[in-house]
C-alpha cells in the first residue's frame, strides 16, 4: 500500500492536469451540435488508456455515440475485471449560474469545478490512474482488466444492449466495477447495491389549429394548457401517492433487516433537506428519507411548457401544451410495463375536446444485488483500508441503464464503487469533485484490484 500511496502522492499534479484536459472537452451527448466533441472525447480517452498502461485501446462505433474501449490481459489464470463508466456529460446550461465556465475546469480549495468532474469523467479517471499506479510501481496489473467507457449514458444508453450482445465474448469478465455513484460523506467509502430504474414519458396536448385570440374565440374550446394541468394534478394524491392503476403492483417491500441497516446509516433528514435547499421535506408518509430516496418509486414533472411565457401579457388560448414526466422505479417494476400503464391512464383522463400524444423517451430497469458475493466483501475491505473508515452499504436513487443490463446478460457481480458526494451538484451548475476523495480513490482502487487477484476466476 505504501508504494501505491507514494506514487499517487508524487503524481498528484500530473493526475490533476490530465483530468483537467479530459474535462475541457464538451462531450454533451444530448446536443447534436456537440457530436464532434463527443467523438473527440472518446478518441482522447483511448489515448489516456494507452498512456496509463493499457495494452490496447480503440474507439468502437455504435449506431449512436462511440465507445472507448481498452484492455490489459497479461495475467493469465487471474480474474478479469470489467470497468464501466461514461464520458458523456449533461448539458451545462444555465451557463450564467456557473462561477467559472463549465468546460474551463477550475480548482477552488479542495474542489475541482467542471461539467463532468464527478459525473462521470473524474470517476473514470480514478480507474485510469489506479492502472497507471500499479503498472508503474510493480510493472504489471494483478488482474486482467477491460475498460469500456460509453458516450450515451446521460441520454439513456440506447445502443448499449446491442453493443454488449455483439461484444459479449470480448467483454467477458468475472466482476464488473462501476464508479458513477456517490459516497455519503467524504473519506467514508461506499458500495452501492441498488439503483432506481426510470421511465421517461412526454405528454403533448393539442387543441385549436393555432393560438386563438382568447377574447374573440375564448369560451368555446378547451385550453390545452389547462387540460394538461388538470391531467397532471390527477396523477398523484395530495399525500404523494401515484394514482396510476397498477403502478405499485410489483413494488417489492424491504425486508426488516434491510430497513434496519438503512436506518443505521449516518445521514440525518436535516442533512438531506440541506442538500436540496428546499424550505422543508415533503415525502411519502410512513417511509424514512433514505427509503423514500432509494426504495420508493416517484413521479415527477421535469418540464412543462405551453402558451405565452415571454415579457408582458398576451391574451391567447395556446394551440398546444406539453410536459415531460419521469418515474423512478424500484424492484420489481418494469419500465416498459409502467410506460403502458401510464399511457393507458393518461388516455382515460383526456377529455374529447383535445388531442393527446404520449411519447416514451427512455427507460432503465432498477438494479439490486445481494451483498454476499466474495467480490463484494473483498472490495469493501480494500476500500476500508484505503480510506481509513469502514465501507457503507448504500442504495441510490439515480439510474444507470448499463448496470441491470450487464447483470442480467452476464450474471456476474456488479460493484458500484463511487467516489462522488451527494452535494457535488451533478447535472447542475457548479458541478464539482472533492479532490481528496479522488486521490484517495485512486490508491484505494489500486488496492481493490490487488485484492481481486485472490478471487477465483471462472
Ligand atoms: N451518475 C448518474 C447516476 C446516479 C445519480 C447514481 C445519482 C446515483 C445517484 C448517471 O450519470 C445519471 O445521471 N443517470 C441518469 C440515467 C438516465 C438518463 C437514464 C439518471 O439517473 O437520470
Ligand atoms: Zn449523470
Amino acid at each position: 500500500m505504501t508504494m501505491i500511496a507514494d506514487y499517487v502522492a508524487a503524481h498528484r499534479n500530473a493526475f490533476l492536469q490530465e483530468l483537467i484536459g479530459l474535462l475541457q472537452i464538451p462531450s454533451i451527448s444530448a446536443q447534436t451540435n456537440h457530436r464532434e466533441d463527443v467523438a473527440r472525447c472518446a478518441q482522447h480517452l483511448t489515448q489516456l488508456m494507452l498512456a496509463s498502461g493499457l495494452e490496447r485501446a480503440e474507439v468502437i462505433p455504435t449506431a449512436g455515440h462511440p465507445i472507448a474501449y481498452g484492455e490489459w490481459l497479461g495475467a493469465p489464470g487471474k480474474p478479469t475485471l470489467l470497468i464501466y463508466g461514461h464520458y458523456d456529460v449533461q448539458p451545462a446550461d444555465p451557463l450564467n449560474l456557473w462561477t467559472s465556465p463549465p468546460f474551463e475546469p477550475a480548482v477552488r480549495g479542495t474542489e475541482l469545478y467542471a461539467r463532468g468532474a464527478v459525473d462521470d469523467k473524474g470517476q473514470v479517471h480514478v480507474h485510469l490512474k489506479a492502472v497507471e499506479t500499479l503498472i508503474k510501481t510493480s510493472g504489471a496489473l494483478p488482474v486482467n482488466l477491460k475498460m469500456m467507457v460509453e458516450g450515451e449514458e446521460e441520454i439513456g444508453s440506447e445502443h448499449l444492449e446491442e453493443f454488449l450482445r455483439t461484444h459479449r465474448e470480448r467483454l467477458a469478465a468475472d466482476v464488473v466495477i462501476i464508479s458513477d455513484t456517490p459516497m455519503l460523506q467524504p473519506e467514508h467509502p461506499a458500495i452501492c447495491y441498488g439503483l432506481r430504474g426510470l421511465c421517461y414519458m412526454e405528454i403533448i396536448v393539442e387543441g385549436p389549429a393555432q393560438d386563438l385570440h382568447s377574447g374573440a374565440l375564448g369560451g368555446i374550446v378547451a385550453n390545452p394548457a389547462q387540460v394538461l394541468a388538470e391531467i397532471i394534478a390527477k396523477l398523484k394524491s395530495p399525500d404523494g401517492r401515484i394514482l396510476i392503476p397498477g403502478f405499485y403492483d410489483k413494488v417489492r417491500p424491504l425486508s426488516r433487516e434491510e430497513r434496519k441497516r438503512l436506518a443505521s446509516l449516518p445521514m440525518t433528514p436535516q442533512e438531506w433537506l440541506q442538500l436540496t435547499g428546499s424550505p422543508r421535506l415533503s415525502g411519502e408518509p410512513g417511509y424514512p428519507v433514505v427509503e423514500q430516496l432509494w426504495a420508493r418509486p416517484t413521479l415527477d414533472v421535469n418540464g412543462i411548457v405551453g402558451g405565452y411565457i415571454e415579457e408582458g401579457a398576451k391574451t391567447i388560448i395556446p394551440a398546444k401544451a406539453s410536459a415531460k414526466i419521469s418515474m423512478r422505479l424500484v424492484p420489481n417494476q418494469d419500465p416498459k410495463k409502467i410506460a403502458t400503464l401510464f399511457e393507458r391512464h393518461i388516455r382515460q383522463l383526456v377529455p374529447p375536446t383535445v388531442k393527446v400524444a404520449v411519447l416514451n423517451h427512455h427507460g432503465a430497469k432498477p438494479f439490486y444485488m445481494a451483498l454476499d458475493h466474495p467480490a463484494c466483501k473483498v472490495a469493501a475491505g480494500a476500500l476500508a483500508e484505503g480510506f481509513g473508515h469502514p465501507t457503507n452499504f448504500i442504495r441510490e436513487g439515480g439510474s444507470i441503464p448499463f448496470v441491470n443490463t450487464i447483470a442480467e446478460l452476464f450474471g456476474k457481480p456488479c460493484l458500484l464503487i463511487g467516489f462522488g458526494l451527494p452535494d457535488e451538484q451533478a447535472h447542475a451548475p457548479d458541478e464539482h469533485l472533492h479532490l481528496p476523495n479522488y486521490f484517495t480513490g485512486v490508491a484505494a482502487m489500486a488496492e481493490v484490484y490487488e485484492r481481486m487477484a485472490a478471487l477465483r476466476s471462472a
Side-chain angles (χ1 to χ4, degrees):
M1 188 75 188
T2 56
M3 254 166 55
I4 291 174
D6 289 350
Y7 185 88
V8 175
H11 292 81
R12 287 167 70 97
N13 195 42
F15 288 3
L16 183 59
Q17 292 314 316
E18 191 179 281
L19 174 55
I20 285 175
L22 184 61
L23 292 168
Q24 281 167 342
I25 306 173
S27 47
I28 304 170
S29 50
Q31 297 174 342
T32 39
N33 60 330
H34 284 287
R35 207 178 172 77
E36 285 305 309
D37 295 318
V38 175
R40 183 158 58 91
C41 193
Q43 192 64 48
H44 186 78
L45 254 177
T46 57
Q47 281 154 15
L48 295 187
M49 286 174 177
L50 293 174
S52 302
L54 295 187
E55 293 165 321
R56 273 177 293 284
E58 62 178 301
V59 173
I60 309 181
T62 72
H65 296 302
I67 288 180
Y69 177 77
E71 58 189 21
W72 190 96
L73 304 178
K78 294 288 179 193
T80 301
L81 308 182
L82 173 64
I83 312 296
Y84 162 87
H86 64 95
Y87 67 83
D88 65 321
V89 299
Q90 288 273 326
D93 51 276
L95 291 178
N96 61 322
L97 295 184
W98 285 79
T99 307
S100 49
F103 298 106
E104 293 172 29
V107 178
R108 290 194 285 281
T110 53
E111 313 300 310
L112 171 62
Y113 288 81
R115 171 57 87 230
V118 60
D119 187 8
D120 179 36
K121 290 174 182 173
Q123 301 203 56
V124 167
H125 202 248
V126 164
H127 287 276
L128 286 175
K129 294 307 99 179
V131 166
E132 174 184 321
T133 301
L134 285 167
I135 288 185
K136 284 288 163 57
T137 52
S138 63
L141 290 182
V143 288
N144 300 295
L145 187 137
K146 303 175 177 178
M147 189 165 187
M148 103 174 233
V149 189
E150 72 150 317
E152 298 194 309
E153 197 274 345
E154 297 291 10
I155 51 173
S157 300
E158 206 192 316
H159 303 99
L160 192 80
E161 183 162 349
E162 194 193 318
F163 181 87
L164 293 176
R165 285 184 190 279
T166 313
H167 298 272
R168 207 192 163 103
E169 297 293 308
R170 194 169 183 196
L171 297 168
D174 299 291
V175 177
V176 183
I177 302 184
I178 301 113
S179 297
D180 192 21
T181 45
M183 345 199 291
L184 289 183
Q185 297 164 317
E187 304 294 316
H188 288 253
I191 294 181
C192 171
Y193 62 94
L195 293 169
R196 284 196 289 195
L198 185 70
C199 173
Y200 200 114
M201 308 294 289
E202 182 169 357
I203 311 176
I204 303 167
V205 178
E206 288 179 301
Q210 68 284 313
D211 290 357
L212 301 177
H213 188 295
S214 67
L217 288 169
I220 61 166
V221 291
N223 180 322
Q226 176 79 30
V227 170
L228 179 62
E230 284 165 8
I231 293 172
I232 290 172
K234 287 180 191 141
L235 293 178
K236 279 180 169 185
S237 69
D239 68 357
R241 197 170 168 80
I242 296 154
L243 299 174
I244 300 169
F247 184 84
Y248 290 98
D249 284 1
K250 300 279 184 216
V251 172
R252 192 178 70 202
L254 298 189
S255 68
R256 193 195 297 256
E257 294 72 42
E258 186 171 18
R259 296 195 88 178
K260 219 169 124 192
R261 197 155 40 70
L262 293 181
S264 72
L265 289 170
M267 293 275 283
T268 64
Q270 194 53 34
E271 286 171 303
W272 286 111
L273 175 63
Q274 250 163 27
L275 288 174
T276 70
S278 285
R280 56 185 294 180
L281 291 170
S282 146
E284 255 185 306
Y287 294 91
V289 172
V290 287
E291 290 185 27
Q292 290 169 2
L293 285 170
W294 300 343
R296 294 294 297 166
T298 61
L299 181 149
D300 278 293
V301 178
N302 297 270
I304 175 165
V305 285
Y308 186 71
I309 49 158
E310 303 301 325
E311 193 180 354
K314 183 186 180 200
T315 44
I316 54 153
I317 293 169
K320 180 177 162 184
S322 66
K324 297 194 176 182
I325 296 180
S326 67
M327 290 157 280
R328 295 282 170 181
L329 311 178
V330 299
N332 297 321
Q333 289 177 299
D334 177 79
K336 287 203 181 97
K337 293 207 180 94
I338 293 293
T340 307
L341 295 178
F342 178 88
E343 174 161 2
R344 191 181 300 159
H345 187 52
I346 297 295
R347 293 205 179 276
Q348 265 165 14
L349 293 177
V350 174
T353 47
V354 294
K355 286 179 285 184
V356 71
V358 181
L359 312 181
N360 183 355
H361 279 273
H362 56 227
K365 285 188 184 170
F367 169 73
Y368 188 90
M369 185 188 79
L371 289 168
D372 54 6
H373 194 279
C376 196
K377 298 201 177 81
V378 167
L383 291 167
E385 160 113 10
F387 279 93
H389 293 283
T391 301
N392 287 321
F393 291 98
I394 64 171
R395 291 171 66 166
E396 276 297 336
S399 314
I400 307 174
F402 167 86
V403 185
N404 192 276
T405 309
I406 193 95
E408 281 185 357
L409 268 179
F410 285 21
K412 300 292 177 184
C414 292
L415 304 179
L416 290 148
I417 304 177
F419 302 106
L421 288 171
D423 68 352
E424 288 179 332
Q425 294 175 219
H427 295 202
D430 279 350
E431 175 180 349
H432 56 282
L433 174 68
H434 187 55
L435 287 170
N437 278 350
Y438 163 80
F439 290 118
T440 310
V442 173
M445 192 49 78
E447 182 70 20
V448 170
Y449 295 172
E450 292 260 21
R451 293 199 191 180
M452 288 287 164
L455 291 177
R456 253 173 8 118
S457 102

